[in-house]
């Protein structure tokens, strides 16, 4: 091994360290943005369901009490609607009824452009949220492969930031969604009125 070989080895080694450091920082940022998106997305869907429940009860002219902000008792019926994460549950102890429906965005209202906390490495999806396992995988890659991963994670970060910006800037009345029954996703409805008519 001559001096030029050593210099090349050193150059490759330093470049690899720099790439690994950059990827690690971007993965941390990406995971954080994904978690923020997940939290905001869940709250966004939850607010849609809560508003729909309130509108349904008011438009139907039903008397109801709302003691906690998330529980709606339809007076004199034994029916209760509980707004929960990303949807609502209809219950009635006397009827042994307990059904949950989740807000599901459809068409161009669905977030797109990123895979939640996963990136492709050599054609395989790898979680960006598995710490040492991801670091070990990256250590085994060459500089050209790491350069490709670096570009991939930067694109993924841009995508999730774009999706978050789009979500925060979208008004509820401008989105398309349906309700899917929890654990029975083939059972779908466009409105709460349809759910009450067909399921209660």
């Amino acid at each position: 091994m001559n001096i030029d070989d050593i210099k090349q080895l050193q150059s490759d080694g330093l470049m690899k360290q720099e790439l690994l450091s950059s990827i690690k920082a971007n993965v941390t940022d990406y995971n954080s943005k994904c978690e923020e998106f997940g939290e905001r997305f869940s709250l966004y869907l939850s607010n849609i369901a809560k508003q729909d429940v309130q509108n349904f009860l008011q438009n139907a002219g039903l008397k109801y009490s709302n003691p906690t902000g998330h529980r709606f008792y339809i007076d004199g019926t034994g029916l209760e609607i509980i707004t929960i994460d990303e949807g609502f549950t209809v219950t009635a102890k006397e009827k042994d009824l307990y059904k949950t429906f989740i807000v599901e965005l459809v068409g161009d209202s669905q977030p797109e452009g990123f895979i939640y906390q996963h990136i492709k490495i050599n054609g395989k999806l790898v979680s960006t949220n598995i710490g040492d396992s991801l670091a070990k995988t990256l250590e085994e890659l060459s500089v050209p492969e790491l350069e490709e991963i670096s570009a991939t994670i930067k694109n993924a970060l841009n995508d999730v930031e774009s999706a978050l910006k789009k979500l925060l800037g979208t008004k509820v009345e401008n989105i398309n969604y349906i309700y899917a029954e929890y654990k029975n996703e083939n059972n779908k409805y466009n409105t709460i009125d349809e759910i009450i008519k067909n399921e209660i």
Side-chain angles (χ1 to χ4, degrees):
M1 181 179 285
N2 58 38
I3 294 298
D4 288 339
D5 292 333
I6 294 173
K7 285 182 177 179
Q8 185 60 50
L9 187 63
Q10 183 182 57
S11 176
D12 289 346
L14 292 174
M15 184 178 290
K16 183 169 182 174
Q17 287 177 10
E18 187 177 327
L19 280 166
L20 286 170
S21 179
S22 174
I23 290 169
K24 183 178 178 181
N26 285 330
V27 163
T28 299
D29 198 13
Y30 172 68
N31 286 338
S32 176
K33 290 289 184 186
C34 281
E35 286 164 13
E36 181 185 356
F37 179 87
E39 289 167 4
R40 288 181 179 270
F41 187 65
S42 180
L43 180 61
Y44 185 74
L45 298 184
S46 299
N47 287 337
I48 289 173
K50 185 175 181 181
Q51 189 62 55
D52 275 356
V53 168
Q54 289 175 319
N55 289 341
F56 163 74
L57 293 170
Q58 290 166 5
N59 292 339
L62 295 168
K63 292 183 178 180
Y64 65 93
S65 52
N66 180 215
T68 66
H70 291 279
R71 303 178 82 97
F72 299 83
Y73 298 100
I74 303 177
D75 298 347
T77 67
L79 289 171
E80 178 183 7
I81 302 177
I82 308 164
T83 55
I84 56 163
D85 290 345
E86 301 183 16
F88 65 91
T89 297
V90 182
T91 70
K93 290 180 181 178
E94 296 81 0
K95 294 185 178 182
D96 195 27
L97 175 70
Y98 190 94
K99 290 204 170 191
T100 299
F101 297 87
I102 304 297
V103 176
E104 184 178 293
L105 301 189
V106 295
D108 59 4
S109 293
Q110 297 178 73
E112 58 184 341
F114 71 99
I115 301 170
Y116 188 69
Q117 288 183 290
H118 283 77
I119 57 171
K120 277 190 177 181
I121 296 180
N122 291 337
K124 294 182 180 179
L125 282 179
V126 177
S127 171
T128 58
N129 207 16
I130 52 176
D132 292 342
S133 179
L134 176 62
K136 185 178 179 182
T137 299
L138 294 174
E139 285 281 357
E140 295 170 354
L141 299 179
S142 66
V143 168
E145 289 171 323
L146 287 174
E147 286 174 334
E148 187 176 336
I149 299 304
S150 180
T152 297
I153 194 64
K154 284 177 182 177
N155 287 336
L157 184 55
N158 287 338
D159 287 341
V160 74
E161 286 175 341
S162 175
L164 183 57
K165 186 177 180 181
K166 180 182 176 184
L167 175 70
L168 296 176
T170 302
K171 294 181 179 179
V172 170
E173 56 267 28
N174 294 332
I175 67 166
N176 298 310
Y177 63 94
I178 58 175
Y179 283 98
E181 185 178 352
Y182 181 62
K183 294 185 177 179
N184 183 13
E185 292 185 7
N186 291 325
N187 200 10
K188 299 179 187 291
Y189 293 99
N190 291 311
T191 65
I192 294 180
D193 298 61
E194 290 179 8
I195 292 171
I196 298 298
K197 180 180 178 180
N198 292 283
E199 299 290 339
I200 309 305

